[in-house]
Amino acid sequence: FQNPSASTFNERAESPIAVAAFDPTSPPDRADIAQPAPGSLLDSQSDRLMYRVAYRNLGGSDSLVFNQTVRASPVNQTYQAGVRVYELRKNGQNAGFAVQNQFTVDDAEASRWMASAAQDFQGNLAVGYSLSSSEKKPQIAYSGRAFADAPNAVRTERVLHEGTGVQTAFGFRWGDYSTLVVDPTDDCTFWYTNEYYTAESQQESQFGWKTRVGNFKFPTCQNAPAGTVQGTVIDAATGLPISNAVVKIGSNYVRYTDASGNYKFSLPPGTYDLSVEARGYGLRLEVVSVSDAANVALNIALHPNALIEGTNVEIVSESCAQNSAVEPGETVTINLPLKNNGNAPTGDLVVGLTGGTGFINPSPPQKYGAVGIGQTVVRSFTFTAASNIQCGEQIILMFRFVDGAQLVGAFTQTINVGVRRIALAESFSNLLQPALPFGWLTASSGAQENWKTVLLEPMQTHLAAFSDEAVAPGVNELISPVFPIHSRQAQLTFRNKYDLESTFLRNKFYDGAVLEIRYNRGQWRDILQSGGSFASGGYDGVIENCCQNPLAGRFAWSSKSGTNADAEFITTRVNLPASAVGKKIQFRWRVGTDTGGRRQGQWIDDVEVQDGYICSSCLN
């Protein structure tokens, strides 16, 4: 990704693969699949392959199964969707993929769509999907074919769960997506996840389905050959169980021990490499052989080790500028705290500053000695920063930990040369609500109201800048003071919280917020358009053009910040454009709203612009 010209894409030799004719078209927009009244028409999602292409090694051949939604009715009749299923197979390493089976699950009574397909270890192929019509409320159904069935044959459809409600919100998709997987414990049982409505959930929400998980299997499928490996991982010194130990078998199987130190695998017959490791213990390696229906008991005792970990160093002495920073050519002394987070003490720990860049004349190794469990010991190291290192560059200090003759760990510390230059810093504290800090401006248009400062929940002891979200078109602007930029490494950081109108699935953004920049009081431009980039906490997507939002068509923050159900503060970091160097700049945060619907708004806090580093002259 960093060097796209180094990558090439070539069409495979067996492509294209001829399949039976199909029609992928559907009615315009998302008004496709019928439901009983008062249900709205649902999106068939017929413009893409459905989740997922599933691979299966069948011994002498490789198999791929997948599906797509196709039109099952003539174009001049009411739209009916069906599920087209494909199995591609490759026999031999040098062969190409070709169609092994293909069939369409459809009839004249209902639509079927949003499917997922998979195979068990015998090669039996199953497909699950949603089913609905103007008479049938959305159901979860499945079908498929056994490996010995006639080519392209499909078995009788079964209903996994019958819904009792409908989706009433218009113009929305029906989920993202469904999934069918095979249970690894027997390699026969299919587990299927899809959505449905009950009468109660229909009343509760226009657009809030429930999730159903169910299973089924082909009656002819007997459990795949498998054996069991299980045991307990304990501390060799105390005999106590070790929880959260990582047990790996081969490259594909991983378990974490439970609170009692237990683990268990079910896996195909074979001989495997097994490894066990846990924090504060030595690595254990074993070889285990598994046969069909066998139960291999393997208890593992791990020997406790010291685990030496470093924390950030502290500058305690400087030969030049007394500013708690390292300058070019300056000799400094640092304290390095090391803590033993392991389960055994060290015998005679010695730590050396043995590698790195940007410095000369490191002090000799320091003796930390016997470091007990949970104990922290501090020793000092001295070095001289290189005279030719540039302000803002990093000095890399690499420490090695040796206990007796054994290497027991390492620690790397980076130190930027110079003192951080802060071009702008604002916490919005020490103000009287709703006033903004001196030099900060706000303006609004349409239905919007100006930015203001508000107390943050739940403690209500800290202020942040806040823009409400209007229910009609408008824009609200927060404008920073003017300040200069000197460095190409300048970066804006701020805490960013927003709850702005979007669809439930966050696939349509109606209200949104943007960040803009201007130079020397010139024209405002979006931060990305001007050449800036987000290091974290960037835009979510493009604002819809449907509903008169003044920011329509622009990339923006929208929906809810964070990963939880409620919006939460995230950290947004923005690399400023190189063109900002040598200019006086301003930032402008803008919240744009459309004709209807609202959430809460946007909060901005702890704004800081780091504009490189400043160094003192320490060279004679």
Side-chain angles (χ1 to χ4, degrees):
F1 291 103
Q2 293 179 345
N3 186 14
S5 62
S7 301
T8 58
F9 289 89
N10 297 310
E11 188 172 3
R12 291 182 61 88
E14 67 265 36
S15 176
I17 296 175
V19 298
F22 64 91
D23 183 350
T25 63
S26 59
D29 299 319
R30 295 177 173 177
D32 304 340
I33 307 293
Q35 300 179 92
S40 295
L41 294 171
L42 303 172
D43 186 5
S44 64
Q45 302 181 59
S46 64
D47 60 339
R48 72 206 72 177
L49 295 177
M50 288 290 99
Y51 182 83
R52 61 193 164 96
V53 176
Y55 167 79
R56 168 69 72 167
N57 186 318
L58 296 175
S61 61
D62 298 297
S63 178
L64 300 173
V65 297
F66 55 98
N67 77 96
Q68 67 181 125
T69 303
V70 298
R71 181 186 285 270
S73 57
V75 176
N76 59 353
Q77 294 182 14
T78 301
Y79 178 77
Q80 292 278 97
V83 174
R84 169 68 64 83
V85 182
Y86 303 99
E87 179 189 4
L88 306 183
R89 193 168 293 188
K90 182 175 73 169
N91 297 304
Q93 183 175 358
N94 298 322
F97 279 101
V99 175
Q100 178 76 13
N101 285 286
Q102 56 184 322
F103 55 87
T104 302
V105 185
D106 67 339
D107 63 23
E109 304 298 323
S111 284
R112 294 159 178 83
W113 82 107
M114 206 181 72
S116 180
Q119 279 180 302
D120 63 24
F121 86 100
Q122 286 185 334
N124 303 311
L125 191 163
V127 57
Y129 43 85
S130 292
L131 182 152
S132 181
S133 72
S134 56
E135 288 78 34
K136 293 181 179 179
K137 296 174 180 177
Q139 304 174 5
I140 302 173
Y142 64 93
S143 183
R145 51 169 281 107
F147 74 95
D149 288 348
N152 305 324
V154 57
R155 295 201 164 190
T156 303
E157 179 177 82
R158 301 288 182 88
V159 174
L160 184 68
H161 186 73
E162 189 167 338
T164 56
V166 295
Q167 180 172 300
T168 57
F170 177 74
F172 289 89
R173 287 162 64 157
W174 174 258
D176 281 315
Y177 296 79
S178 72
T179 182
L180 183 69
V181 295
V182 183
D183 194 325
T185 60
D186 63 8
D187 221 355
C188 284
T189 300
F190 293 91
W191 288 91
Y192 188 49
T193 303
N194 205 335
E195 46 270 352
Y196 70 103
Y197 272 85
T198 63
E200 293 77 14
S201 65
Q202 175 187 326
Q203 292 298 319
E204 179 182 349
S205 173
Q206 293 183 328
F207 186 55
W209 55 77
K210 300 172 74 68
T211 300
R212 189 78 177 187
V213 180
N215 66 69
F216 58 88
K217 63 186 291 186
F218 285 81
T220 56
C221 186
Q222 302 300 314
N223 292 359
T228 300
V229 179
Q230 60 183 339
T232 304
V233 179
I234 63 171
D235 185 312
T238 66
L240 296 175
I242 302 174
S243 62
N244 291 318
V246 182
V247 186
K248 296 181 180 179
I249 294 184
S251 58
N252 298 320
Y253 304 94
V254 180
R255 296 290 186 272
Y256 292 84
T257 56
D258 61 19
S260 299
N262 299 320
Y263 71 92
K264 183 177 181 179
F265 292 88
S266 177
L267 61 165
T271 299
Y272 301 90
D273 293 324
L274 179 146
S275 67
V276 185
E277 56 185 332
R279 181 177 171 82
Y281 292 90
L283 175 68
R284 178 78 175 270
L285 301 175
E286 297 284 346
V287 175
V288 59
S289 295
V290 181
S291 57
D292 186 26
N295 182 18
V296 179
L298 183 60
N299 297 322
I300 302 290
L302 298 183
H303 291 277
N305 281 351
L307 178 62
I308 307 301
E309 295 181 322
T311 58
N312 287 339
V313 302
E314 177 189 9
I315 297 174
V316 295
S317 174
E318 304 170 74
S319 66
C320 182
Q322 304 301 307
N323 55 5
S324 297
V326 181
E327 314 293 338
E330 183 176 39
T331 298
V332 298
T333 300
I334 60 173
N335 280 346
L336 174 62
L338 296 180
K339 183 177 181 181
N340 185 356
N341 291 314
N343 297 290
T346 63
D348 186 16
L349 180 65
V350 176
V351 178
L353 176 51
T354 57
T357 59
F359 67 94
I360 58 175
N361 302 326
S363 58
Q366 301 296 306
K367 183 174 182 178
Y368 281 68
V371 183
I373 300 171
Q375 183 181 4
T376 299
V377 178
V378 181
R379 295 289 184 268
S380 297
F381 295 82
T382 300
F383 63 88
T384 300
S387 59
N388 61 348
I389 196 167
Q390 299 298 308
C391 194
E393 289 186 346
Q394 286 188 334
I395 292 175
I396 301 175
L397 307 174
M398 301 174 63
F399 300 89
R400 285 166 54 92
F401 310 153
V402 178
D403 188 12
Q406 183 179 5
L407 178 66
V408 294
F411 177 69
T412 299
Q413 175 75 61
T414 59
I415 302 176
N416 287 93
V417 177
V419 178
R420 291 198 313 156
R421 179 196 287 119
I422 303 301
L424 176 70
E426 183 54 65
S427 66
F428 300 100
S429 298
N430 303 317
L431 300 170
L432 294 177
Q433 295 176 262
L436 294 171
F438 177 79
W440 288 75
L441 303 174
T442 182
S444 58
S445 62
Q448 286 280 23
E449 299 178 358
N450 286 343
W451 283 74
K452 57 187 178 182
T453 54
V454 297
L455 285 168
L456 293 176
E457 300 288 350
M459 301 303 293
Q460 294 196 346
T461 58
H462 189 78
L463 293 175
F466 173 68
S467 170
D468 200 0
E469 183 179 12
V471 294
V475 172
N476 190 10
E477 301 176 348
L478 175 67
I479 304 171
S480 78
V482 178
F483 58 95
I485 291 296
H486 303 85
S487 168
R488 288 180 175 269
Q489 287 74 45
Q491 186 179 75
L492 164 68
T493 302
F494 61 95
R495 296 177 68 224
N496 188 8
K497 177 181 175 181
Y498 50 91
D499 186 2
L500 301 166
E501 185 195 7
S502 71
T503 59
F504 175 76
L505 292 177
R506 305 186 184 190
N507 60 327
K508 278 181 172 288
F509 303 120
Y510 298 116
D511 295 342
V514 299
L515 173 65
E516 298 175 342
I517 189 173
R518 72 174 177 179
Y519 306 150
N520 303 327
R521 299 188 185 275
Q523 181 182 0
W524 290 103
R525 301 178 68 191
D526 187 87
I527 190 66
L528 298 181
Q529 184 185 24
S530 67
S533 61
F534 288 105
S536 66
Y539 292 151
D540 297 292
V542 177
I543 299 175
E544 292 291 318
N545 287 301
C546 65
C547 309
Q548 303 176 36
N549 188 326
L551 302 181
R554 293 184 56 172
F555 282 99
W557 292 291
S558 188
S559 192
K560 294 182 180 181
S561 54
T563 58
N564 295 314
D566 296 327
E568 57 192 351
F569 274 105
I570 62 172
T571 298
T572 293
R573 291 187 175 88
V574 187
N575 299 316
L576 269 57
S579 56
V581 176
K583 299 182 177 66
K584 293 183 177 180
I585 74 167
Q586 281 178 288
F587 293 116
R588 181 168 71 169
W589 288 264
R590 306 179 76 196
V591 175
T593 53
D594 66 1
T595 53
R598 69 185 297 270
R599 296 271 182 86
Q600 297 184 71
Q602 183 180 26
W603 293 259
I604 299 296
D605 198 13
D606 295 337
V607 176
E608 181 180 279
V609 176
Q610 180 181 330
D611 187 15
Y613 289 81
I614 303 173
C615 287
S616 301
S617 176
C618 292
L619 303 175
N620 295 326

